[in-house]
Amino acid sequence: MMTGFRLNLSPLKEPLGFVKLVEWFTAIFAFGCCGGYSGKNIVSVFCGNGTNKTLTAAFSYPFRLSQDLLVEGNMTFCNHTAGPTHLVGDSASSAEFFVGVAVVCFLYAMAALLVYLGYMHVYKDSDFGPIVDFVVTATIAFLWLVCSSAWAKGLQNVKDATGDEGIASTLDICTQSDITCRVTEFANLRSLNISVVFGYLNLCVWAGNAWFVYKETRWHSQKYAGQPVPTRSQVPAPI
């Protein structure tokens, strides 16, 4: 059996190769929309005498909010002093898990495409390749379910911590009767919302691709090989 590289683009015309190419692109969008993000909310502190001051609530990937300063040093607001204050919350585990799964999927999809386009003759002639491909594909589909759900919850925690109620509960002076704290300018979270959408989209794509990979395994072929072939009853010839 020849095991050398043979470039063949025909698998891209079939669901097995085409879906893997789609997975490669969706993984790029998933980690590209989440990793490297940075934004800031502008917080206004309104005093009872009509004056106000502004603060910047800056946050970025991986969203360890407890390390991001809201008030860097002692500051006076409406005759009340506030010491150094950090944002509250930590969504780093869910964000890094999400990006990590996306990067692994990007690399695996690229490696699988290399096998499909150059070593499909070896892939189809062996039982090991399709079975490993199926197990990895099914596992990745499950990981997308877990990491997308975790990151959706983590993103909501970021929104809550940097919103009006989160800032008011974080900054002690906001509890004073003559002070009102409100976020007057919100960071653009569109890319983070899109990352969650692509996470669940990847779940659907990888779960669907698992079926096409399963059809390449011996489990699928044995299932149909073991079924009896229906025979047609003999009709007597007319006399």
Side-chain angles (χ1 to χ4, degrees), residues 100-120:
V101 170
V103 171
V104 169
C105 291
F106 167 78
L107 296 175
Y108 181 76
M110 188 164 55
L113 282 172
L114 177 64
V115 173
Y116 293 167
L117 300 182
Y119 298 94
M120 182 57 79

Side-chain angles (χ1 to χ4, degrees), residues 35-67:
Y37 174 87
S38 62
K40 61 181 180 180
N41 286 358
I42 303 300
V43 181
S44 295
V45 180
F46 298 96
C47 303
N49 59 10
T51 61
N52 70 287
K53 286 188 177 182
T54 59
L55 296 171
T56 300
F59 52 96
S60 60
Y61 176 84
F63 307 104
R64 289 189 176 89
L65 301 182
S66 58
Q67 297 181 4

